[in-house]
Amino acid sequence: MTSITRRLFLSLAAALVPGAAAAHHGWGGYDTSKSFTVTGKILKSTFENPHCEIEMEVDGKHWHFVLAPPSRMQARGITADLIAPGKTCTVFGYPHTSKRDEARIEYVVLDGKRIELR
């Protein structure tokens, strides 16, 4: 595909699916200088694009944790069953700079096994 053809294709794709590009976010909103590790029971989970997510309550605080995309989770051996509500999970991640209940997760510990997500 030539450079011009590629640019035309990308422009058309962006015009036809305007929300797709905006739906995916970067990681700049997370404070990597404030990493933390917590363990708790999963209250809610989603295993779908653009990222899998879990919700946990830890020390009285309700958290929303952003994980990896489903394809990466599966490639690392994580299934929807492993992050199902009721399961215990340890997460290591970075808090969002403005959403006090959200964090980006770098790795999880499930069933005693540490699994890198990035």
Side-chain angles (χ1 to χ4, degrees):
M1 185 181 281
T2 68
S3 175
I4 293 171
T5 306
R6 184 171 187 272
R7 274 188 258 147
L8 178 61
F9 173 77
L10 292 174
S11 295
L12 285 171
L16 293 173
V17 189
H24 190 270
H25 55 83
W27 296 119
Y30 297 90
D31 188 347
T32 58
S33 71
K34 296 181 180 176
S35 65
F36 66 95
T37 304
V38 295
T39 300
K41 287 215 183 288
I42 298 171
L43 303 174
K44 182 180 177 186
S45 66
T46 58
F47 204 86
E48 56 191 44
N49 284 315
H51 298 279
C52 296
E53 300 174 2
I54 58 174
E55 292 183 22
M56 294 170 39
E57 187 156 331
V58 181
D59 297 328
K61 181 174 180 176
H62 189 92
W63 281 98
H64 175 89
F65 295 126
V66 180
L67 307 174
S71 58
R72 189 175 313 143
M73 299 278 282
Q74 290 170 330
R76 307 255 194 305
I78 302 174
T79 63
D81 291 340
L82 283 175
I83 61 167
K87 298 279 188 166
T88 298
C89 180
T90 298
V91 297
F92 169 86
Y94 309 108
H96 197 280
T97 57
S98 63
K99 298 175 185 173
R100 299 188 67 157
D101 66 339
E102 183 176 306
R104 165 188 151 201
I105 303 307
E106 288 291 314
Y107 71 80
V108 296
V109 179
L110 296 164
D111 293 337
K113 182 179 175 188
R114 177 180 160 153
I115 305 165
E116 298 290 331
L117 300 181
R118 306 287 159 218

